Amino acid sequence: MAIPVANPKIQNYALKDDIAAAVAQVFESGAFILGPNVSGLEEEVPIVCGSKYGVAVNSGTDAIVVALAANGIGPGDEVITTPFTFVATTEAILIVGAKPVFADINLDDFNLDPDKVEEKITSKTKAILPVHLYGQCAKVDRFKAIAEKHNLKLIYDGAQAIGAKNNGVGMGEFGDASTLSFYPTKNLGGCGDGGMVLVNDEQVAAMAKSLRFHGMDATYSYQYVGYCSRLDEIQAAVLRVKLKKISDWNEARRANAAYYIEQLNSLPVKLPVSAPENYHIYHQFTLRFAKRDELKAKLAERGVGSAVFYPSPLHLQKAYLNLGYKPGDFPEAEKAALEVLSLPVYPELTAAERNQVASAVAESIKELA
Ligand SMILES: *Cc1c(COP(=O)(O)O)cnc(C)c1O
């Protein structure tokens, strides 16, 4: 039987009765918007992530939008970010009216390169927006130092990194805000869309809460132009059931990753590297291989699904060409886009399945090397 690269269905099926009971309770209560499940989730997720506050919103994309706006980022501001990420990171900067400025990545962790960021700082730069890609924290100490030196806001896109740590510190403690996505295939996924802004400053948290609800401060009193971006009670109820498992699931992903590394480390393929100070939660297990497309095809023949996150860096996407970049501007990001391949690493993989994945990768690479 083919092994898919992600499989949120098995996870939800295992919790089907608890999820159904939680949804039924919302239905009975009649409180569908900003009720006890949203406020409960806003207390529980920050405990996992290490932030003081959590503000639930209706997607991981809106979490970035609200995090930027709550930190005062808007028209005329430049935000330095990575071109090698999901499109939402860049899109959110444009949605608040600011300008994305790309800097290249490091191939060791696929994250924004702090050295490249410093070169891009101008008098208009207001913030840095690194992504903790694939579930590994970016170089948070370096970014903190750069942000302090140049008086910039630091906002992390942690959509793929719920529960990740650096030097034992939770990802929600870093910067002026961090964001999460509860898209169904994320490490904590709902049965629909959802996201959260994590912050440590009470005023920023209050502004984020106001912004997600049309900029309202008291009933029908509006201090800011906001958004309609609330998380539903039903989604929050589902997420609270699943949140109880997140630490176990992250551990299971790490165990699967450790197994692949042990099985594949003598092969001519670049395996993902977790920096010793990082607690990597392996949202993706992403290797690099020059004949990536051939490898993907051979894995498919052997019943193993895989995926390319992401096949093109954002500076070369049609929608973003007017930012003025060209091929060759970010060589590391462009190389990553040609070579990355993610394997199934989800927590429900059985021992037999992960063995099948590792064997398929080993056999395919031997044929291609
Ligand atoms: C999933 C994801 C998002 C967007 O989250 P949605 O919930 O789909 O809006 C943003 N950034 C990254 C890096 C992501 O992986």
Side-chain angles (χ1 to χ4, degrees):
M1 220 187 60
I3 303 169
V5 70
N7 193 344
K9 199 168 155 181
I10 358 173
Q11 190 168 78
N12 292 331
Y13 260 74
L15 296 168
K16 191 158 116 296
D17 294 342
D18 289 351
I19 290 174
V23 170
Q25 209 174 25
V26 175
F27 191 79
E28 288 302 322
S29 79
F32 295 112
I33 297 288
L34 299 182
N37 285 295
V38 167
S39 48
L41 191 73
E42 289 178 337
E43 280 172 21
E44 292 153 9
V45 172
I47 295 170
V48 173
C49 297
S51 69
K52 277 201 188 130
Y53 306 99
V55 179
V57 294
N58 70 9
S59 69
T61 305
D62 274 12
I64 309 170
V65 171
V66 170
L68 289 167
N71 276 287
I73 312 299
D77 298 337
E78 291 180 359
V79 179
I80 302 174
T81 191
T82 165
F84 189 64
T85 174
F86 183 60
V87 66
T89 322
T90 299
E91 191 182 40
I93 295 168
L94 287 157
I95 288 173
V96 300
K99 181 182 171 195
V101 173
F102 293 127
D104 210 352
I105 61 165
N106 286 306
L107 283 174
D108 60 350
D109 62 359
F110 302 103
N111 284 326
L112 196 56
D113 180 344
D115 292 328
K116 303 281 168 49
V117 166
E118 278 212 277
E119 300 164 6
K120 301 281 176 176
I121 296 172
T122 71
S123 58
K124 289 184 177 165
T125 308
K126 281 287 162 55
I128 310 172
L129 175 42
V131 179
H132 301 311
L133 203 70
Y134 305 145
Q136 171 162 222
C137 284
K139 295 182 175 66
V140 289
D141 291 341
R142 293 286 314 280
F143 288 118
K144 182 169 187 248
I146 295 170
E148 279 173 1
K149 181 172 159 198
H150 298 275
N151 195 23
L152 304 174
K153 298 283 184 188
L154 184 52
I155 291 153
Y156 287 103
D157 177 350
Q160 303 186 359
I162 185 171
K165 292 178 192 146
N166 174 273
N167 280 319
V169 178
M171 47 78 76
E173 281 198 49
F174 302 115
D176 297 285
S178 301
T179 64
L180 299 175
S181 163
F182 304 130
Y183 187 82
T185 54
K186 295 282 155 71
N187 285 31
L188 177 66
C191 298
D193 279 311
M196 189 173 278
V197 185
L198 303 171
V199 289
N200 294 296
D201 181 279
E202 197 180 348
Q203 277 172 328
V204 177
M207 180 148 176
K209 275 197 173 175
S210 168
L211 285 170
R212 72 155 171 211
F213 196 7
H214 304 289
M216 191 151 92
D217 52 1
T219 308
Y220 299 115
S221 159
Y222 306 98
Q223 244 194 93
Y224 326 99
V225 176
Y227 305 91
C228 181
S229 185
R230 301 164 301 238
L231 182 71
D232 298 346
E233 275 291 292
I234 287 182
Q235 268 330 312
V238 171
L239 288 162
R240 290 180 82 192
V241 171
K242 298 187 72 179
L243 181 64
K244 297 192 180 103
K245 305 276 183 189
I246 189 66
S247 301
D248 292 347
W249 286 336
N250 282 346
E251 275 295 304
R253 285 173 181 271
R254 286 170 54 80
N256 290 339
Y259 175 82
Y260 289 152
I261 288 168
E262 184 196 303
Q263 297 294 308
L264 304 173
N265 70 14
S266 59
L267 294 168
V269 58
K270 290 264 190 308
L271 296 175
V273 178
S274 173
E277 68 274 18
N278 275 336
Y279 182 83
H280 190 326
I281 59 148
Y282 290 98
H283 172 60
Q284 302 296 348
F285 182 93
T286 304
L287 51 76
R288 279 201 294 130
F289 190 66
K291 295 180 196 160
R292 186 265 319 277
D293 294 334
E294 287 97 319
L295 175 58
K296 189 173 193 308
K298 284 194 179 287
L299 291 177
E301 282 167 22
R302 291 179 164 93
V304 171
S306 62
V308 176
F309 304 112
Y310 298 91
S312 165
L314 297 174
H315 67 287
L316 303 180
Q317 292 279 355
K318 186 171 176 220
Y320 300 103
L321 288 180
N322 61 1
L323 293 172
Y325 298 104
K326 58 185 189 312
D329 281 350
F330 305 106
E332 306 293 287
E334 290 168 32
K335 189 174 167 68
L338 291 173
E339 296 190 348
V340 290
L341 190 65
S342 298
L343 304 180
V345 72
Y346 53 87
E348 297 77 15
L349 279 180
T350 63
E353 285 171 333
R354 70 184 193 181
N355 180 273
Q356 185 186 333
V357 174
S359 307
V361 173
E363 288 162 16
S364 304
I365 283 180
K366 281 177 198 149
E367 289 174 15
L368 291 167

